Amino acid sequence: MLALDSISLLLSKEIPVQAGTTLSPALRDLVGIGTLGASKLKEPNITEAQIQDDLSVATGWRVMGINSMVDSVLAAAERLEKEIELETKYWADILAVSDDGWTVCALPQEPHTLGVRFGFAESAAEFRNNSIAPLIRNDDGTIKLGVGKVGGGSQRIRITVKKAGTITDQSPLPARIPDDAPLKDRVREARNTIFHQELWYELNREARVLLAHDVYYDGPAITWKQSKDSEFILTLEDLDEQDEMYANYSEGVRSATAAYSFMQFLLFQSHRQNYHKRTSLSPSVRQTNNNNSTYNILRCLISRFEYFSKSADLGNQISQLVRTLRHAGISTAFFSVVPPPTPPSTGTRHTPTTELIWVQQLVFNLVSLYTFTITPEARIWCYSQGFVRQSIGTLFNINLKPPSGDTKDLPPNPLEAVYPPADYCANVQEAVYYLCQAAVRVLSQNLARTAAEQLGDDSIQWSETISGIGIKNAKGKDVRTDIDAVGDKIVLTLKAERQADKIGQASTWTWDSARQYLEGETETIQDVVLKVMRGDV
């Protein structure tokens, strides 16, 4: 109030009416209005030129501020344009990866960072968790694939076959993907690397329990001794250190390249089986399954190689047996390989389950069927079948009935009465032994019957005694026949024994598969038997 009264009293001299409205009545009554005044003692020294100069300076600073703002905006626009270009390049690569079928998602531990999943959902946990990599943008807009958890760089499994310490076959290694390759190619390379690392992990687990099959694990390599001088070596190689000197691109069924592809397929098939169990089986059944069990990869590989080797050996032995019989004049001897019977169609619709079953039959149903004909009546069907269970190997089933089971149009097989086969043979030697002994019995029966008809001697009969299988008559003529594997050939032996002046004498004739006989060089076994029964020998 005192300040207001003071100002109002000061102004009452110049503008009494306006000042009187704010002057207090008590002060008006005490001193009156207009009793206090003020005037300038000195004029200000600011001239019009100075005002114009200050205005020019202020305008200049404003223009400079505007120019600086424009430059800042232009620089920001340039940076934004460059950033848009880099982001466009970055997202173009990501879209290309996504369009190629890869899953792009946020990292579990870093939600603000994009990553790509390149592994397999049904892999082991340690590989499934590490099969995601961040997509880090470089300064030039390209993407760096952070695959540090995979480790080891680009890797592949290599198969090397050695014989007598010398490399004879080796699976090739692909070239390393360059660092500036398209992102989808680098993602595929990371997928292939972790796939082979998982395959190597599973092979290591399996190799530790296959010592009985001559499989040895020594850390950097897994060695399977196929024979005394042959080795099958598996290693995990870096693509940066590839050596293609012995690489063989052959696609034979027993080549290193075929085994390399076959092992990859087996791991992929194991993933499909895991998916089938996870999606189709009930939780109680899934809990009973042992998730830590090893895959049958090395087992299948060993079984497949042994199956092809033993099947080829059996085919070679039967072929030599037929050659021996033909050399002895048995023109009805015949050998053929026929495809195994296909299982009947179930008529079910095509589903992932039926597809999995059919693929398993295609891969694991290793069956070959050999037909061995001695005479039109005596025919033998021999199956070689590879199996993969806790133990692995190849069995040989021998049957006297055709695969179809229809025997209406076939004559009775004499072997059913004189020499029926066992359920199965454990190896090639047992199978060949049965075939040789069956051929001896059928051959002796036919020779005895033919000799009896041509010589008119009903006493000529075939016999099976402790001393062997042969043909004899009432006059003491005795012929013994035998077929046996001698080294790498099949030999048919006929031994005739007779009494001359109470002294036993013996003559021997042989036919084998290794020798090439000229036409008319040797007598047939039928002619020899007739000569012996007539007493010409």
Side-chain angles (χ1 to χ4, degrees), residues 86-304:
L86 298 178
E87 283 290 311
T88 302
K89 188 175 182 180
Y90 173 79
W91 285 103
D93 288 343
I94 290 181
L95 290 177
V97 169
S98 179
D99 294 340
D100 204 39
W102 304 101
T103 301
V104 178
C105 59
L107 294 181
Q109 305 299 328
E110 303 177 22
H112 60 282
T113 304
L114 282 179
V116 57
R117 290 190 177 273
F118 53 82
F120 300 85
E122 307 305 329
S123 298
E126 51 268 33
F127 295 95
R128 183 174 61 251
N129 296 335
N130 291 338
S131 60
I132 183 171
L135 300 172
I136 305 171
R137 200 192 78 179
N138 294 323
D139 295 337
D140 58 352
T142 58
I143 295 180
K144 176 184 177 182
L145 191 65
V147 290
K149 290 186 177 181
V150 176
S154 299
Q155 295 178 318
R156 292 292 188 278
I157 287 185
R158 162 163 274 190
I159 299 176
T160 304
V161 179
K162 286 185 177 181
K163 289 187 178 180
T166 303
I167 297 177
T168 59
D169 192 9
Q170 195 172 53
S171 61
L173 292 177
R176 182 181 179 275
I177 296 295
D179 296 335
D180 58 350
L183 178 61
K184 59 182 182 180
D185 294 339
R186 284 180 281 150
V187 174
R188 186 178 296 109
E189 176 63 29
R191 188 274 310 272
N192 293 339
T193 296
I194 200 168
F195 181 83
H196 279 257
Q197 288 177 350
E198 182 185 5
L199 178 58
W200 179 248
Y201 169 77
E202 296 296 340
L203 291 175
N204 288 339
R205 293 180 61 200
E206 192 178 5
R208 290 180 171 90
V209 297
L210 293 179
L211 185 60
H213 297 278
D214 294 326
V215 176
Y216 303 92
Y217 169 73
D218 58 358
I222 298 174
T223 303
W224 169 41
K225 294 188 178 296
Q226 295 177 297
S227 61
K228 292 182 180 180
D229 59 346
S230 179
E231 292 181 339
F232 199 87
I233 304 172
L234 295 90
T235 55
L236 184 64
E237 302 285 345
D238 293 334
L239 297 188
D240 294 337
E241 303 174 1
Q242 57 180 331
D243 182 7
E244 297 293 295
M245 181 181 298
Y246 301 99
N248 183 5
Y249 294 84
S250 172
E251 297 181 359
V253 294
R254 284 183 285 174
S255 68
T257 304
Y260 169 79
S261 302
F262 184 62
M263 288 194 306
Q264 296 180 76
F265 177 79
L266 289 176
L267 179 58
F268 172 70
Q269 188 70 4
S270 299
H271 288 169
R272 295 187 65 187
Q273 291 176 351
N274 293 341
Y275 176 78
H276 172 69
K277 293 177 183 178
R278 182 169 59 85
T279 57
S280 61
L281 300 181
S282 61
S284 59
V285 176
R286 290 201 300 268
Q287 290 176 358
T288 59
N289 289 330
N290 187 10
N291 294 329
N292 293 325
S293 60
T294 58
Y295 296 147
N296 291 330
I297 299 177
L298 272 177
R299 291 183 181 91
C300 289
L301 186 66
I302 295 173
S303 174
R304 199 172 189 87

